[in-house]
């Protein structure tokens, strides 16, 4: 283990040194300025340099995801988000960025309910963590989503909250986008204040070198001028924004919106040739945008179809393989468990035999010398309690291992099978626990049946999702280990059978157990309140096999009428 750790440390020490915090600051600045081209280039460069750990690579990949989303490369963004989830390397701090990007993608696809679920995850994170710039992004993203879904009443308070949060913490980009949302969601009476807010947004974006959003801000202030009848000022702002967009990106959504506004203004001024020109430009970009979304949707559907096909094939072949190997694997596992138990019991009995031999030798020496101490009754009691205690501990270890495997697997059927096996081993362990804490003088000493069965019932009833009550009539019956243990296993299987298969008209499933002892014959009756049973098609089930095996161990017979069982069982020797 130490050598492996040294090798890992050596491999990390040989990586080229990178100022990771400085790289994150550069990427963060590029995000604020929406320089998506630079972000994609920087992230790919860092990945190819082999200078970062797996966790650091996952962190810088979140910036790439943001850049792809902002540049509307949605199919690539969706694949990248899926890849980040599969790696499971990100802390919740960086998962926030993934959730926010997914919320924007879902808003674009108009899947508003799923988008709100992503934003709910972000909100839960910030309920217990300090609020940073991404909390402001969360506020305006949620406001935008409500706006796009038509719920302006819910959107406007969130926009104001985002603006206040950004102003308090000097997050200029948050303030600017909040101003856009407020401008779109409200009908401000103060025209000068509206212009002042929009000019502040333009100033903030210019300072951040975020020219994409600066162009969008110019479009918004042009709308304000237009609505106030100042068409020439509006055109001036729109042409300035158009100049910024053309110098950076020709297929921008903002360009399409600017073209729409220019078309509308020129039409109001009766300059129809210019209006038609900008209308045509807007339609061309709109067609390109729709084609892009359609291609991305088709790509997404094809990928989902392929994934479903692969999962279906894997499931089909898995079920076929499982049907062939399942019983074999289960049998091998059960035999292995009981093999371990048998080995432990043999070792324990060997120790007792060896101890008895030593005691005999000591007794002979005591008789010869007439002065040495003998083996007392209390010492034998300790040995017997130790035997039961150690067997109980070993069984508890096996229960823990079964529980561990049940928690590890995602397969519901396997979990049920392992939970049933866990209850069966617990039933055996419970008998040994009863003998561990009783003051016994012989391995044939007896334990109250009612006390033992009460502990046995606690296991399956506790883990069951059904509401269960029971009555038990087993007064003044005490049995030794050889008789007690098969009855405990038998009752455990009957209870599990009722929980799984009994269909009751009542909310609470009621179990009834009655046990009498007549002429060394145990008369056991068991029933539940089920009106019918859900029968399985298998010709032989493990539970029925165990019930019949326990009856055979006690040389007994049984019968069944609907949900009622009647057993006649013989006491084991020395009972």
């Amino acid at each position: 283990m130490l050598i492996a750790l040294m090798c890992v440390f050596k491999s990390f020490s040989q990586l080229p040194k990178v100022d990771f915090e400085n790289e994150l600051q550069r990427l963060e600045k590029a995000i604020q300025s929406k320089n998506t081209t630079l972000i994609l280039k920087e992230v790919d460069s860092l990945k190819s340099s082999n200078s970062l750990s797996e966790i650091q690579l996952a962190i810088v990949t979140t910036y790439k995801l943001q850049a792809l989303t902002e540049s509307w490369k949605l199919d690539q963004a969706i694949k990248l988000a899926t890849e980040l989830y599969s790696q499971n390397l990100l802390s919740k701090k960086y998962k926030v960025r993934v959730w926010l990007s997914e919320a924007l993608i879902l808003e674009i696809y108009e899947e508003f309910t799923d988008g709100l679920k992503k934003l709910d995850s972000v909100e839960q994170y910030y309920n217990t963590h300090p609020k940073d710039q991404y909390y402001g992004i969360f506020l305006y993203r949620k406001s935008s989503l409500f706006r796009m879904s038509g719920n302006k009443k819910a959107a406007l308070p969130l926009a104001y909250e985002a603006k206040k949060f950004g102003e308090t913490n000097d997050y200029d980009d948050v303030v600017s986008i909040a101003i856009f949302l407020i401008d779109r969601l409200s009908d401000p009476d103060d025209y000068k204040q509206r212009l002042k807010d929009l000019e502040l947004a333009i100033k903030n974006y210019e300072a951040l070198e975020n020219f994409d959003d600066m162009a969008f801000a110019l479009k918004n202030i042009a709308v304000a001028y237009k609505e106030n009848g100042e068409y020439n000022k509006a055109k001036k702002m729109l042409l300035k924004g158009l100049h910024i967009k053309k110098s950076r990106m020709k297929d921008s959504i903002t360009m399409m919106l600017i073209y729409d506004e220019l078309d509308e203004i020129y039409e109001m001024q009766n300059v129809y040739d210019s209006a038609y020109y900008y209308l045509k430009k807007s339609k061309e970009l709109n067609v390109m945008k729709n084609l892009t979304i359609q291609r991305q949707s088709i790509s997404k559907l094809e990928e989902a179809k392929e994934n479903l096909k692969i999962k279906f094939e894997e499931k089909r072949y898995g079920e076929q393989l499982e049907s062939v190997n399942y019983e074999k694997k289960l049998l091998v596992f059960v035999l292995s468990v009981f093999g371990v138990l048998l080995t432990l019991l043999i070792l324990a009995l060997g120790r007792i035999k060896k101890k008895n031999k030593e005691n005999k030798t000591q007794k002979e020496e005591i008789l010869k010398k007439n002065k040495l101490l003998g083996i007392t009754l209390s010492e034998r009691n300790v040995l017997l309690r130790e035997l039961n205690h150690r067997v109980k501990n070993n069984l508890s270890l096996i229960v823990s291992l079964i529980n561990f495997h049940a928690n590890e697997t995602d397969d519901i059927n396997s979990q049920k099978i392992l939970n049933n096996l866990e209850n069966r081993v617990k039933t055996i362990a419970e008998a040994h626990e009863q003998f561990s804490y009783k003051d016994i003088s012989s391995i044939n000493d007896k334990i109250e049946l009612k006390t033992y069965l009460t502990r046995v019932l606690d296991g399956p009833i506790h883990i069951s999702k059904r509401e269960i009550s029971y009555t038990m009539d087993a007064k003044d019956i005490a049995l030794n280990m050889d008789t007690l243990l098969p009855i405990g296993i038998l009752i455990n299987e009957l209870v599990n059978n009722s929980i799984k298969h009994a269909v009751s008209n009542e909310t609470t499933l009621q179990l009834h157990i009655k046990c009498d002892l007549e002429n060394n014959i145990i008369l056991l009756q068991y029933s539940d309140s089920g009106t019918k049973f859900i029968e399985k098609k298998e010709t032989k089930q493990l539970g029925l096999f165990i019930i019949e095996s326990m009856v055979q161990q006690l040389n007994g017979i049984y019968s069944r009428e609907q949900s009622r069982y009647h057993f006649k069982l013989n006491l084991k020797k020395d009972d």
Side-chain angles (χ1 to χ4, degrees):
M1 182 69 180
L2 181 60
I3 294 173
L5 289 172
M6 290 176 65
C7 290
V8 172
F9 176 78
K10 183 178 180 181
S11 64
F12 276 108
S13 65
Q14 291 174 349
L15 291 175
K17 301 297 182 182
V18 171
D19 188 345
F20 186 63
E21 291 301 324
N22 184 52
E23 291 294 338
L24 291 185
Q25 290 176 7
R26 290 180 61 194
L27 290 171
E28 197 67 50
K29 184 177 179 181
I31 282 290
Q32 291 179 3
S33 64
K34 289 198 175 178
N35 194 340
T36 56
T37 303
L38 176 62
I39 294 169
L40 296 175
K41 182 179 178 181
E42 286 291 324
V43 172
D44 290 341
S45 176
L46 286 170
K47 283 187 173 183
S48 62
S49 68
N50 296 322
S51 58
L52 301 180
S53 67
E54 288 186 350
I55 294 177
Q56 290 174 331
L57 282 173
I59 291 172
V60 298
T61 302
T62 62
Y63 290 92
K64 182 176 182 178
L65 174 61
Q66 289 176 266
L68 290 171
T69 305
E70 292 289 348
S71 57
W72 277 57
K73 297 177 180 179
L74 303 185
D75 53 343
Q76 296 180 44
I78 292 169
K79 289 180 181 178
L80 198 58
T82 304
E83 180 183 328
L84 286 170
Y85 279 128
S86 66
Q87 292 173 352
N88 197 25
L89 295 172
L90 293 173
S91 64
K92 284 191 175 181
K93 174 183 177 181
Y94 290 100
K95 283 183 179 179
V96 164
R97 304 180 182 210
V98 179
W99 293 330
L100 289 170
S101 295
E102 288 181 305
L104 176 56
I105 293 170
L106 292 166
E107 179 182 333
I108 294 169
Y109 282 122
E110 298 184 359
E111 297 178 11
F112 303 121
T113 302
D114 291 337
L116 282 174
K117 289 179 181 179
K118 297 296 180 181
L119 294 176
D120 287 342
S121 299
V122 178
E123 187 170 15
Q124 289 174 11
Y125 170 80
Y126 282 115
N127 285 339
T128 56
H129 292 78
K131 295 178 173 62
D132 55 16
Q133 184 173 1
Y134 283 88
Y135 179 72
I137 296 174
F138 154 74
L139 290 173
Y140 72 63
R141 179 59 53 226
K142 192 169 185 179
S143 173
S144 176
L145 193 145
F146 276 129
R147 172 178 168 264
M148 293 300 293
S149 64
N151 190 353
K152 293 185 177 181
K153 186 177 180 181
L156 188 57
L158 287 166
Y160 277 115
E161 185 179 353
K163 183 173 182 288
K164 182 179 178 181
F165 180 79
E167 290 172 343
T168 303
N169 296 279
D170 295 327
Y171 296 143
D172 293 340
D173 56 331
V174 174
V175 173
S176 301
I177 294 181
I179 289 171
F180 294 164
L181 289 168
I182 293 169
D183 184 59
R184 293 293 87 195
L185 292 166
S186 61
D187 298 317
D189 298 328
D190 190 342
Y191 173 65
K192 291 184 178 180
Q193 183 62 43
R194 182 183 182 189
L195 290 179
K196 183 178 178 181
D197 287 341
L198 290 171
E199 286 168 356
L200 174 61
I202 293 170
K203 181 180 177 182
N204 288 342
Y205 282 129
E206 188 172 13
L208 292 169
E209 297 182 359
N210 184 348
F211 299 108
D212 286 340
D213 286 336
M214 181 180 172
F216 190 76
L218 287 166
K219 188 274 298 182
N220 280 2
I221 200 169
V223 170
Y225 281 133
K226 181 192 74 173
E227 292 173 352
N228 199 48
E230 300 180 73
Y231 298 131
N232 290 331
K233 288 184 178 180
K235 285 192 292 183
K236 183 178 179 181
M237 293 296 104
L238 290 170
L239 292 172
K240 185 177 179 180
L242 193 61
H243 175 73
I244 291 173
K245 295 305 294 180
K246 282 185 175 180
S247 65
R248 295 176 55 81
M249 189 185 299
K250 294 184 178 180
D251 55 345
S252 167
I253 301 299
T254 306
M255 285 180 65
M256 184 180 72
L257 297 175
I258 291 173
Y259 286 144
D260 285 338
E261 293 297 333
L262 285 168
D263 164 48
E264 187 174 341
I265 291 171
Y266 277 117
E267 188 174 353
M268 289 177 176
Q269 293 181 322
N270 297 323
V271 184
Y272 296 111
D273 54 343
S274 296
Y276 175 74
Y277 172 79
Y278 288 114
L279 175 63
K280 182 180 178 182
K281 286 288 187 180
S282 174
K283 295 298 182 184
E284 288 174 356
L285 286 179
N286 191 41
V287 169
M288 291 175 62
K289 184 195 79 168
N290 291 335
L291 286 174
T292 299
I293 293 176
Q294 287 176 6
R295 283 196 297 267
Q296 291 168 346
S297 299
I298 292 170
S299 176
K300 185 179 178 182
L301 288 171
E302 288 178 347
E303 183 179 355
K305 180 181 178 182
E306 187 64 27
N307 288 337
L308 285 173
K309 182 179 179 181
I310 293 171
K311 288 180 180 179
F312 175 77
E313 291 296 327
E314 289 177 350
K315 183 178 179 182
R316 183 164 66 90
Y317 288 121
E319 288 175 350
Q320 290 176 351
L321 183 61
E322 184 179 356
S323 65
V324 174
N325 296 328
Y326 174 71
E327 292 186 1
K328 181 179 178 181
K329 289 181 179 179
L330 182 60
L331 180 60
V332 170
F333 180 75
V334 172
L335 290 176
S336 299
V337 171
F338 281 102
V340 172
L341 292 175
L342 183 60
T343 303
L344 293 173
L345 287 171
I346 292 172
L347 291 173
L349 292 172
R351 287 196 64 184
I352 293 174
K353 185 176 180 180
K354 181 179 179 181
K355 195 70 178 178
N356 287 337
K357 185 176 180 180
E358 292 174 355
N359 291 340
K360 184 177 179 181
T361 303
Q362 290 176 358
K363 186 176 180 180
E364 291 174 353
E365 291 177 357
I366 290 171
L367 291 173
K368 291 178 182 179
K369 296 180 180 181
N370 202 23
K371 291 181 181 181
L372 301 176
L373 296 175
I375 300 176
T376 64
L377 179 62
S378 61
E379 288 174 331
R380 291 196 299 273
N381 290 344
V382 170
L383 290 174
L384 288 172
R385 281 197 297 273
E386 180 185 3
L387 168 62
N388 282 291
H389 182 68
R390 293 196 179 194
V391 171
K392 188 263 293 183
N393 284 346
N394 288 325
L395 288 170
S396 297
L397 175 60
I398 292 169
V399 168
S400 297
L401 290 173
I402 295 171
N403 195 317
F404 175 78
H405 285 294
N407 291 332
E408 269 199 330
T409 182
D410 292 329
D411 185 72
I412 301 301
N413 290 331
S414 297
Q415 286 180 350
K416 289 180 180 178
I417 292 166
L418 290 171
N419 287 335
N420 288 339
L421 180 57
E422 179 182 344
N423 279 335
R424 290 164 183 150
V425 179
K426 279 183 178 178
T427 302
I428 301 171
E430 187 58 45
H432 285 281
E433 184 174 9
Q434 294 288 322
F435 278 85
S436 295
Y437 298 106
K438 186 177 184 296
D439 188 12
I440 58 175
S441 59
S442 168
I443 199 166
N444 292 314
D445 275 14
K446 299 177 181 180
I447 292 293
E448 288 291 330
L449 177 62
K450 185 174 182 179
T451 302
Y452 172 60
L453 291 183
T454 300
R455 298 291 295 273
V456 168
L457 288 168
D458 286 344
I461 291 176
H462 177 70
I463 67 173
S464 173
K465 295 181 180 178
R466 300 184 69 172
E467 187 175 347
I468 301 169
S469 65
Y470 68 90
T471 60
M472 186 186 302
D473 183 4
K475 297 179 181 177
D476 303 322
I477 299 176
L479 303 171
N480 69 8
M481 175 76 82
D482 290 340
T483 305
L484 191 71
L485 187 54
I487 292 177
I489 295 173
L490 181 64
I491 290 296
N492 178 71
E493 293 303 323
L494 291 171
V495 171
N496 279 321
N497 187 48
S498 296
I499 292 172
K500 286 192 284 187
H501 304 302
V503 178
S504 175
N505 294 329
E506 301 174 359
T507 304
T508 302
L509 177 65
Q510 298 181 359
L511 310 178
H512 305 286
I513 302 170
K514 183 177 181 182
C515 190
D516 295 310
L517 182 61
E518 296 179 6
N519 300 324
N520 291 330
I521 299 294
I522 299 172
L523 302 176
L524 176 63
Q525 299 179 34
Y526 174 89
S527 63
D528 59 48
S529 59
T531 57
K532 64 178 181 178
F533 273 70
I534 301 173
E535 297 286 358
K536 291 192 174 183
K537 295 181 179 180
E538 290 87 349
T539 57
K540 198 72 170 178
Q541 300 178 31
L542 182 59
L544 181 59
F545 172 78
I546 292 175
I547 290 172
E548 293 177 349
S549 297
M550 296 304 102
V551 172
Q552 290 176 6
Q553 280 194 32
L554 296 176
N555 297 319
I557 58 174
Y558 80 97
S559 62
R560 172 186 168 188
E561 299 174 3
Q562 298 296 329
S563 62
R564 295 179 177 273
Y565 287 82
H566 300 271
F567 298 88
K568 287 186 177 180
L569 310 171
N570 290 292
L571 296 178
K572 282 283 189 176
K573 187 179 180 181
D574 295 324
D575 236 331

